[in-house]
Amino acid sequence: MKFTKYLFTLFLLSLAATVWGQAATAPAPDPAADQLPRLMTYILVIAAAALFIVAMVYVVNINQFLYRRVLDLEASKSGVKLPGETAAAAVPVADSFWTTLRKKYWEDAVPIEREHEILSHHDFDGIRELDNRLPPWWVNLFLITIVWAGIYMYYYHWGGNGPSSTEEYKMETEQAQKQQTAALAGIANDVDESNVVALTEGGALGEGELIFKNTCAACHGQLGEGTVGPNMTDEYWVHGGGIKNIFKTIKYGVPDKGMIAWQSQLSASDMQKVASYILTLQGTNPPNPKAPQGEIWKGEAPADSTATPAPQTGTGG
Amino acid sequence: MSRIEQFQYDNRIVRAFGMATFIWGVVGTLVGLTLAFQLIYPELNLSQTGIPYLSFGRLRPLHTNAVIFAFIGNGIFMGVYYSLQRLLKARMISDALSWIHFWGWQAVILCATFTLPLGITTSSEYAELAWPIDILITLIWVVFGINMFGTILKRRESHLYVAIWFYIATWITVAILHIVRSIELPYSLFGSYPLFVGVQDALVQWWYGHNAVAFFLTTPYLGIMYYFMPKAANRPVYSYKLSIIHFWALIFIYIWAGPHHLLYSALPDWVQSLGTVFSIMLIAPSWGGMLNGLLTLRGAWDRVRQDPVLKFMVVAVTAYGMATFEGPMLSVKSVNAISHFTDWTIAHVHVGALGWNGFLTFGVLYWLWPRMYRTPLYSVKLANIHFWIGTLGIIFYAVPMYFAGWTQSLMWKEFTPEGTLAWGNFLDTVTQIMPMYAMRALGGTLFFVGVCIGVYNLIKTAGQGSFLSNEAAEAPAREPRPVSTAGQYWHRWIEQRPIQMLLASAVLISIGGIVQIIPMVFVESQVPKISTVKPYTPLELAGRDIYIREGCVGCHSQMVRPFRSETARYGEYSKSGEYVFDRPFLWGSKRTGPDLQREGGKYPNSWHYNHMIDPRTMSPGSIMPQYPHLADNELDLSELPAKISALRRLGTPYPAGMEERAITDAQQQAKKVAGKLKEEGIKDEGMETKEIMAIIAYLQRLGTDIKVEPGGR
């Protein structure tokens, strides 16, 4: 029974330690990018968590010991003899090796029954002070953090080659670029405004609708009826209708008119899906339509259509 | 030996501060609870009805000020006025000063209660109050100092107990922090611009803000703990040596840690790193206080079961230990990359405020009231109920907020394999954590109910007892000279010399601030200039001041950190040179809504117009308050000339004669904004003279300067 308490406390604390461990590592999906600073953090967090656990065990330990003492005292007052150990023996015994070690590096509190030896003679409004040694583990913790601080400053500023915030950013983006290229290789994501075609398959259009509702509806209305942005359901287009123009407007945006460039937030295939979905809104006549803007789009010219929307201008239509 | 002197302790002033403590405790937590519900039900902002005073942005500073300076502030004074007299064996030197202190402090709080909802704010967290109130605070703080030091000097006790070391360090540090943070140039009765600008303002702010936590929420409360905990437990303090080391280490190291609020910001890396390492070194000194508190209970743990006072104190000190471990962990850059701007920070501060400050305050109140009213506590059972419901409240508050912060941060950072943001729509990351917000409101409700039960219990205790206004005491007069300390522990020397202790504290707490702030202010290379960054136009300036008035900074940051997940979402990361005209800086500390540093040009004017009047028309599901009054209120440009000349005196290079042109210039720009709105199909008439023109102009300017080609504007 006695140990279940310990075990439970330890279990809870180890959970806490895991959480902290994750805290330190979770944002680094790529360990190669900046291994050393993360590693240092990791070590620090684990060391701190370990110390925390040990400190808590120590506190629990003391409490149980004291509680036992209180029981002993109560028992001796009322003359009851408790099973198990009784009050500490009065004969001083030389410390064992382990006790010496513990007192030196861990804890060295004077036991309660001998605390009168270190009690201040003076009192402040009845409050007296013991002159217990600083808990050695606490002193060690303090020293470790000071040493860590020196190493950290050396590594990042005084001589080491720790990366600056902006260097970390550069490494992060370069790494992401590589991953992105790898992920896109072989996938039909090399869609762009020159070769995009309208999708008609239901699944793709469903995904397009979801993207529309999440990202486009704020300005173009839940049903594409237009609010701040133009109506998507009529045959008038400000920057050109047809899958290629729509794709291009989504991709590069029209910054002057408030249309966001979505290429950093949507993949090419997502933009193709949402553009295809927008085409299906033609003629749906939703309630509260916004008045037409732009010109009637008469469809793409048959032969030289790919040349018309010049991508370098960015703000066609 | 000197003769025995008779005197009386003043309990009335303690009672007054105690009553103020629990009254403001109720108010502060009630405002907090209102905010928690506003985040779930935006209609509770009431701003859609045209009442602008109670929206989240304006109430948030009222909540923080009410809890920190009203609830905890009065709690400090209650504890100090009770313990100081007894530890010095002397009545306060002047009852008149005590009462000026009391009523002056309540006046400050009342001013805050009116000015903050009215939108009169500097926007600097925990230093929001307008400059005349800042002056009043300074005066009252000086009154407190004279009263405290006067009493210390005419004390009957030769040595100063550890609690008083903490009180002394608190007084001098808060004075320095408040004065440096509040150096501002007024341009009207309530309006002012700060001396520091941009990055420097940010650094000074968090040197102040962090140390408000250190020297208003921590050191005075440690002093209070050192008196009331051994008293309540009737046990000697565990270690005198530990008191000494952790006291000096704590005050010296704490002051350096401010920049950990600005990790990965545009603040230079070396200052950020100092913030990190000093935060880590702070673990042991902070835990020194926790250890000395908990280990003082050696031999009294059996009584913790029965005595609600000790229960409150044990949880308080434990919460202190947890918060002071978590704080340094949050200061490690890779943890901070996740936690910053999220609800994790909110959870962290509430463990401190509700657990450490709140529970210690109630422990002290439950101990004091029966003694001053000479009667047992009205109901130990109710006190126990308060304890349990309060503890549950803290758990129900903190745990959901940890989840919320964690969840939202990971959503912000998630990319698809194709390299686009998995949650490109910021709003999705908000709606995801709404259930956690609801849980938090439940936790807050529990804690609030506990506070109300506590207040009821204290009132009933007062009702059944008879108050002892002047408590008789006697002590021998003090020898005029310090006692020789030869052969004693070295620290005994300074314990008899309060002035030297004050000076030593002042020197120690100044070092960190000087090392960090002076180079930032005087070494130009610390903030590389960007040639295309220009001062705000008069209309944008007016819009910025409206942004400040409405408390937008409470939910929107203006600081894109150098992370791929942020540059993909918001645009280029922020550079220190972009803020050289920002007085005050508006980086913010929480992203309940998205960052706005690169907002300029992102959406059309009409989007902003509709979004201000009702955010949910543009972003269904948004929890932002509505601001229809911006389209009703006439834009007041009359203060522009005074603002322009104040800013020029502080260093913004407005050309000569700008004051005369400012108003017409602003009107012209407002016409342009209105014209654009018309083009975009907004049919409402007469908008060119409304406040909404200014705020749209400001938002459209935000973060655009670095996109201008040099020489292009």
Side-chain angles (χ1 to χ4, degrees), chain B residues 78-96:
Chain B
M78 166 185 74
V80 168
Y81 274 87
Y82 188 87
S83 60
L84 192 73
Q85 300 185 70
R86 284 154 181 86
L87 290 169
L88 299 173
K89 292 267 173 282
R91 188 183 179 91
M92 296 308 295
I93 188 170
S94 159
D95 284 9

Side-chain angles (χ1 to χ4, degrees), chain B residues 172 176 248 251-252 255 500-514:
Chain B
I172 183 66
I176 293 174
W248 292 106
I251 65 166
F252 172 69
I255 211 88
Q500 283 88 331
M501 187 151 237
L502 177 76
L503 292 175
S505 307
V507 169
L508 272 187
I509 60 103
S510 299
I511 296 171
I514 288 171

Side-chain angles (χ1 to χ4, degrees), chain A residues 19-20 22-24 26-27 38 41 44-45 48-49 52 55-56 58 62-63 66-67 70 109-110 112 115 119 122-125 127-135 137-138 141-142 145-146 148-149 152-153 156-157 164-166 168-169 172-173 176 179-180 183-184 187 214 218-219 222 227-228 255-258 260 263-267 290, chain B residues 86-87 89 157 159-161 226-227 230-231 235-242 245-246 249 253 264 269-270 272-274 276-277 280-281 283-285 287-288 291 295 298-299 301-302 305 325-326 329 332-335 338 344 406 417-421 424-425 428 562-564 567-569 573 601-604 606-607 610 617-618 620 676 680:
Chain A
V19 170
W20 287 112
Q22 284 174 351
R38 302 261 182 235
T41 317
L44 166 90
V45 169
F52 187 68
M56 286 301 136
Y58 169 71
I62 283 198
N63 292 344
L66 295 175
Y67 189 56
V70 172
V110 174
I112 288 190
E115 73 182 17
L119 193 61
H122 186 77
D123 75 276
F124 294 95
D125 194 34
I127 300 173
R128 296 175 79 176
E129 293 167 288
L130 296 170
D131 198 17
N132 265 309
R133 264 189 69 195
L134 301 175
W137 70 264
W138 178 86
L141 170 69
F142 199 6
T145 59
I146 292 170
W148 182 86
Y152 188 98
M153 289 308 286
Y156 284 103
H157 301 280
S164 68
S165 300
T166 45
E168 275 182 43
Y169 173 67
E172 187 193 13
T173 42
Q179 282 178 346
Q180 207 171 319
L184 293 178
I187 302 179
N214 279 334
C219 288
Q222 283 292 319
T227 54
V228 163
D256 287 349
K257 302 256 174 110
I260 301 168
Q263 57 179 345
S264 67
Q265 300 188 35
L266 295 174
S267 67
K290 194 176 182 191
Chain B
R86 284 154 181 86
L87 290 169
K89 292 267 173 282
E157 191 72 70
H159 289 65
L160 300 179
Y161 176 60
Y226 270 113
Y227 178 81
K231 287 294 256 189
R235 290 280 308 148
V237 172
Y238 173 73
S239 170
Y240 165 66
K241 282 198 191 77
L242 186 58
I245 304 292
H246 103 87
I253 294 178
Y264 285 116
D269 271 0
W270 67 269
Q272 297 185 28
S273 294
L274 284 179
T276 298
V277 297
I280 294 294
M281 286 190 280
I283 299 176
W287 273 10
L291 288 176
L295 293 175
R298 289 197 319 166
W301 281 95
D302 52 317
R305 286 170 183 232
F325 176 73
E326 187 185 20
M329 291 303 109
V332 174
K333 284 180 89 174
S334 45
V335 179
I338 295 185
W344 190 344
W406 191 269
E418 294 83 36
T420 53
L421 287 166
N425 185 1
D428 288 341
F563 300 139
R564 177 188 167 218
T567 51
R569 186 182 296 278
Y573 66 83
K602 225 175 226 181
Y603 298 99
S606 52
W607 186 90
N610 291 328
T617 57
M618 295 291 100
K676 205 126 193 241
E680 290 168 12

